[in-house]
Amino acid sequence: MFLDGDEWRTKFRDFQKEAWRLETLPQYLAPQEAEEIEDFRAGKRIDPETFSCDYTERLRQQRRDGRSQGRVHVVTQPLSEYLEFEFSRYYQPHARAGEDIRILDVTNRENPLPESQDFWMFDRSTVVLMHYESDGTQISREVYEGDPAPKVAPHSSI
């Protein structure tokens, strides 16, 4: 089953305990980020201590509700321009709002998740595969119909 719109937003509204994301790409292309990336290139930065948006407010509410959200991003150095932007623009304020953000740098070591694709996992039971073009443009989101256990085990040890 492919997810979009309200069905996708429902996953974040309805999870009970935790939502986790695995990110594996050096770049994600989203049209709504174009202006923010240009600002980043021009040297404009946000203040992560005071920044607030719908996403950070949702993270804070989830935390108050006793729910957690996190991500692991597998990276190699040097970081792409996009990752530098993402770390500055998103990860700092999101972590301050309560998201558990982990970076797995595999620059000089074996990647423990070499064939993994991006996904979101909700309550360790529902996995949504994220499909991207090679340039990082999202194609679709698909509910994974298989056993979620293989996706739970690697994320638990990172």
Side-chain angles (χ1 to χ4, degrees), residues 6 14 21 30 49 52 59 67 73 78 88 94 99 113 119 154:
D6 288 338
D14 291 350
R21 167 103 160 101
E49 294 190 28
S52 181
L59 289 169
R67 302 182 306 147
H73 200 143
S88 169
H94 293 180
E99 186 170 3
L113 307 168
F119 65 84

Side-chain angles (χ1 to χ4, degrees), residues 2 6 19 27 68 72-73 81 92 94 104 110 113 123 130-132 135 141:
F2 289 97
D6 288 338
Q27 170 176 284
S68 65
V72 174
H73 200 143
E81 177 188 50
Q92 290 182 43
H94 293 180
L104 178 58
E110 187 176 334
L113 307 168
D123 295 322
M130 310 295 284
H131 300 289
Y132 294 92
D135 69 356
R141 301 176 197 98

Side-chain angles (χ1 to χ4, degrees), residues 23-84:
E23 294 179 305
T24 63
L25 301 179
Q27 170 176 284
Y28 296 90
L29 294 180
Q32 65 271 23
E33 291 178 333
E35 186 176 330
E36 294 170 348
I37 290 173
E38 287 307 313
D39 287 348
F40 178 80
R41 288 179 178 142
K44 296 178 185 172
R45 300 293 185 268
I46 62 162
D47 180 349
E49 294 190 28
T50 60
F51 180 80
S52 181
C53 66
D54 290 344
Y55 190 85
T56 57
E57 290 307 311
R58 185 184 57 154
L59 289 169
R60 288 181 182 95
Q61 184 61 52
Q62 286 171 185
R63 192 106 162 141
R64 287 189 294 271
D65 294 343
R67 302 182 306 147
S68 65
Q69 182 171 314
R71 70 184 64 225
V72 174
H73 200 143
V74 180
V75 302
T76 56
Q77 294 190 42
L79 295 178
S80 66
E81 177 188 50
Y82 180 84
L83 288 179
E84 290 177 1

